[in-house]
Amino acid sequence: MTYDLIILGGGPAGTAAAVYAARKQLKTILITGEWGGQSTVSDLIYNWIGSPEISGADLGNSFKKHVLYYKGEFLDVVDSERATSLTKNEDGTFKINTNANEYTAHSVLIATGSGRRKLTCENADKYENKGITYCASCDGPLFSGQDVVVIGGGNAGFESAAQLLAYCKSVTLIHKNNEFKADEITVNKLLANPKFKAIKNADIVKVDGEQFVNSITYKDKDSGVETTIPTGGIFVEIGQIPNSDFAKELVAVTPIGNIMVDPNNQITNVPGVWAAGDVTNGRYHQNNIAAGDAVKALEDIYIWLHKNK
């Protein structure tokens, strides 16, 4: 069958759009490999409107529950597949291939989010989940009382460091550039903490250990001098990679892969294809913004379908 709309992604953007699509009686299918997006790794979320605090797992479950409430005549849900390609058919419809099936629709909303950028240095693969981790809120308490390292100089890196200072012996933050990207007030607050140390203009060379990580080596980019420091844990916060590979042959993307959209309505350069959330080149990436942008896109999709279908 040919759907009115295919929605890709089960995070705040995809699920918000699915609810609105079902209520507008668009024949829709939501395809996702997981519910909740990146929020599922957060211990507590304090800025989801309507909930003073909620765990990432509970938020993901609430997204799923809300979508499944509307599953039926106008909404199909597939929560065990991921898109592998997006192409346009000769008749103007769009074809989505997943790891298991093929789907066709008059319009598409891409809300596939982004994933963590991985640490690339000697032994990084060897010690992933053996001291190298990508979630301070999830794994931080396991390193209580230890000297740990955070890699990254943006808000995510400093926020992770702030969490870790609550229970770790010390936190050393290593950043590749001379200037931090984090908010100045956050940087200054942490620099005033005697348990915190920041190292700038440094490249990570390698990590070492036995069964688990026990040291990290970095190189000063000016002097070339390598320094090894002991650590029981390494928390990586070096940015996100948009989950857009499947769509790059059709829609315009930035050099790092974010899908380019018109912020007025979230449409891409291809009529009939919209995108919302962390997968886009939107200036800010947050749960509430992702959901709002998806609803904005859905309103535009509804009008477009009634004009062009």
Side-chain angles (χ1 to χ4, degrees), residues 7-16 30-37 40 59-60 63-64 67 111-113:
I7 298 172
L8 302 172
T15 55
L30 181 142
I31 303 170
T32 184
E34 61 185 8
W35 295 97
T40 56
L59 184 60
F63 291 160
K64 179 179 180 179
V67 169
T112 46

Short mmCIF file of all heavy atoms in Angstrom, two decimals, residues 7-16 30-37 40 59-60 63-64 67 111-113:
data_model
loop_
_atom_site.label_atom_id
_atom_site.label_comp_id
_atom_site.label_asym_id
_atom_site.label_seq_id
_atom_site.Cartn_x
_atom_site.Cartn_y
_atom_site.Cartn_z
N ILE A 7 6.89 8.26 8.84
CA ILE A 7 7.67 8.95 9.86
C ILE A 7 8.79 8.01 10.30
O ILE A 7 8.54 6.87 10.66
CB ILE A 7 6.81 9.34 11.07
CG1 ILE A 7 5.70 10.30 10.65
CG2 ILE A 7 7.67 9.98 12.16
CD1 ILE A 7 4.69 10.59 11.75
N LEU A 8 10.01 8.51 10.28
CA LEU A 8 11.17 7.72 10.68
C LEU A 8 11.72 8.25 11.99
O LEU A 8 12.17 9.40 12.07
CB LEU A 8 12.25 7.79 9.59
CG LEU A 8 11.81 7.31 8.20
CD1 LEU A 8 12.91 7.60 7.18
CD2 LEU A 8 11.49 5.82 8.22
N GLY A 9 11.68 7.43 13.05
CA GLY A 9 12.24 7.83 14.33
C GLY A 9 11.23 7.77 15.46
O GLY A 9 10.07 8.16 15.28
N GLY A 10 11.67 7.28 16.61
CA GLY A 10 10.80 7.12 17.77
C GLY A 10 11.17 8.00 18.95
O GLY A 10 10.82 7.71 20.09
N GLY A 11 11.87 9.10 18.68
CA GLY A 11 12.19 10.07 19.73
C GLY A 11 11.10 11.11 19.85
O GLY A 11 9.98 10.92 19.37
N PRO A 12 11.41 12.25 20.48
CA PRO A 12 10.38 13.26 20.69
C PRO A 12 9.80 13.82 19.39
O PRO A 12 8.61 14.12 19.32
CB PRO A 12 11.10 14.36 21.49
CG PRO A 12 12.56 14.10 21.26
CD PRO A 12 12.70 12.64 21.09
N ALA A 13 10.62 13.95 18.35
CA ALA A 13 10.12 14.48 17.08
C ALA A 13 9.21 13.48 16.39
O ALA A 13 8.08 13.80 16.02
CB ALA A 13 11.30 14.85 16.18
N GLY A 14 9.69 12.27 16.20
CA GLY A 14 8.90 11.27 15.49
C GLY A 14 7.59 10.94 16.17
O GLY A 14 6.54 10.81 15.52
N THR A 15 7.62 10.81 17.49
CA THR A 15 6.41 10.43 18.21
C THR A 15 5.40 11.58 18.25
O THR A 15 4.19 11.35 18.13
CB THR A 15 6.73 9.95 19.63
OG1 THR A 15 7.48 10.96 20.32
CG2 THR A 15 7.55 8.67 19.58
N ALA A 16 5.89 12.80 18.41
CA ALA A 16 4.96 13.94 18.38
C ALA A 16 4.26 14.02 17.03
O ALA A 16 3.04 14.24 16.95
CB ALA A 16 5.72 15.24 18.67
N LEU A 30 4.79 4.81 11.35
CA LEU A 30 5.98 5.23 12.08
C LEU A 30 6.93 4.04 12.12
O LEU A 30 6.55 2.95 12.55
CB LEU A 30 5.66 5.71 13.48
CG LEU A 30 6.86 6.18 14.31
CD1 LEU A 30 6.49 7.38 15.16
CD2 LEU A 30 7.42 5.09 15.21
N ILE A 31 8.17 4.26 11.71
CA ILE A 31 9.19 3.21 11.70
C ILE A 31 10.34 3.64 12.60
O ILE A 31 10.91 4.73 12.42
CB ILE A 31 9.71 2.96 10.28
CG1 ILE A 31 8.56 2.59 9.34
CG2 ILE A 31 10.77 1.86 10.27
CD1 ILE A 31 8.97 2.56 7.87
N THR A 32 10.68 2.82 13.57
CA THR A 32 11.78 3.15 14.47
C THR A 32 12.45 1.88 14.98
O THR A 32 11.82 0.82 15.05
CB THR A 32 11.28 3.99 15.67
OG1 THR A 32 12.41 4.37 16.48
CG2 THR A 32 10.29 3.20 16.51
N GLY A 33 13.70 2.02 15.33
CA GLY A 33 14.41 0.89 15.93
C GLY A 33 14.37 0.93 17.44
O GLY A 33 14.69 -0.05 18.11
N GLU A 34 13.99 2.09 18.00
CA GLU A 34 13.92 2.23 19.46
C GLU A 34 13.03 3.41 19.80
O GLU A 34 12.75 4.27 18.96
CB GLU A 34 15.32 2.45 20.04
CG GLU A 34 16.00 3.71 19.53
CD GLU A 34 17.42 3.87 20.02
OE1 GLU A 34 17.96 2.93 20.63
OE2 GLU A 34 18.00 4.93 19.77
N TRP A 35 12.60 3.45 21.04
CA TRP A 35 11.74 4.54 21.51
C TRP A 35 12.54 5.49 22.41
O TRP A 35 13.34 5.04 23.22
CB TRP A 35 10.56 3.99 22.31
CG TRP A 35 9.62 3.16 21.50
CD1 TRP A 35 9.60 1.80 21.39
CD2 TRP A 35 8.56 3.63 20.66
NE1 TRP A 35 8.60 1.40 20.55
CE2 TRP A 35 7.93 2.50 20.08
CE3 TRP A 35 8.06 4.90 20.35
CZ2 TRP A 35 6.85 2.59 19.22
CZ3 TRP A 35 6.97 4.99 19.49
CH2 TRP A 35 6.38 3.86 18.94
N GLY A 36 12.31 6.78 22.26
CA GLY A 36 12.86 7.74 23.19
C GLY A 36 14.07 8.50 22.71
O GLY A 36 14.42 9.52 23.28
N GLY A 37 14.76 8.00 21.70
CA GLY A 37 15.96 8.68 21.23
C GLY A 37 17.06 8.67 22.28
O GLY A 37 17.15 7.78 23.12
N THR A 40 16.91 8.27 26.45
CA THR A 40 16.81 7.03 27.23
C THR A 40 18.05 6.78 28.07
O THR A 40 17.99 5.99 29.02
CB THR A 40 16.57 5.83 26.30
OG1 THR A 40 17.61 5.76 25.32
CG2 THR A 40 15.23 5.96 25.60
N LEU A 59 10.57 8.58 30.06
CA LEU A 59 10.17 9.47 28.98
C LEU A 59 10.00 8.68 27.68
O LEU A 59 9.01 8.85 26.96
CB LEU A 59 11.21 10.57 28.78
CG LEU A 59 10.86 11.64 27.72
CD1 LEU A 59 9.56 12.35 28.07
CD2 LEU A 59 12.00 12.64 27.58
N GLY A 60 10.95 7.80 27.40
CA GLY A 60 10.84 6.96 26.22
C GLY A 60 9.59 6.09 26.25
O GLY A 60 8.89 5.95 25.23
N PHE A 63 6.54 8.19 25.43
CA PHE A 63 6.42 8.41 23.98
C PHE A 63 5.74 7.21 23.33
O PHE A 63 4.81 7.36 22.53
CB PHE A 63 7.80 8.60 23.35
CG PHE A 63 8.50 9.89 23.71
CD1 PHE A 63 9.87 10.01 23.55
CD2 PHE A 63 7.80 10.98 24.20
CE1 PHE A 63 10.53 11.18 23.86
CE2 PHE A 63 8.45 12.16 24.53
CZ PHE A 63 9.83 12.26 24.36
N LYS A 64 6.23 6.03 23.67
CA LYS A 64 5.68 4.80 23.07
C LYS A 64 4.21 4.63 23.42
O LYS A 64 3.38 4.33 22.55
CB LYS A 64 6.49 3.60 23.56
CG LYS A 64 6.00 2.26 23.01
CD LYS A 64 6.87 1.12 23.52
CE LYS A 64 6.39 -0.22 22.97
NZ LYS A 64 7.25 -1.34 23.45
N VAL A 67 1.98 7.05 21.43
CA VAL A 67 1.83 6.67 20.02
C VAL A 67 0.94 5.44 19.87
O VAL A 67 0.03 5.42 19.03
CB VAL A 67 3.22 6.39 19.39
CG1 VAL A 67 3.06 5.75 18.01
CG2 VAL A 67 4.01 7.68 19.27
N ALA A 111 13.03 11.87 11.29
CA ALA A 111 13.26 12.29 12.68
C ALA A 111 14.13 11.25 13.36
O ALA A 111 13.83 10.77 14.45
CB ALA A 111 11.93 12.46 13.40
N THR A 112 15.22 10.89 12.69
CA THR A 112 16.07 9.78 13.14
C THR A 112 17.16 10.18 14.13
O THR A 112 17.94 9.34 14.56
CB THR A 112 16.73 9.11 11.92
OG1 THR A 112 17.25 10.12 11.03
CG2 THR A 112 15.71 8.28 11.16
N GLY A 113 17.23 11.46 14.48
CA GLY A 113 18.13 11.88 15.54
C GLY A 113 19.60 11.78 15.20
O GLY A 113 20.01 11.85 14.03
#
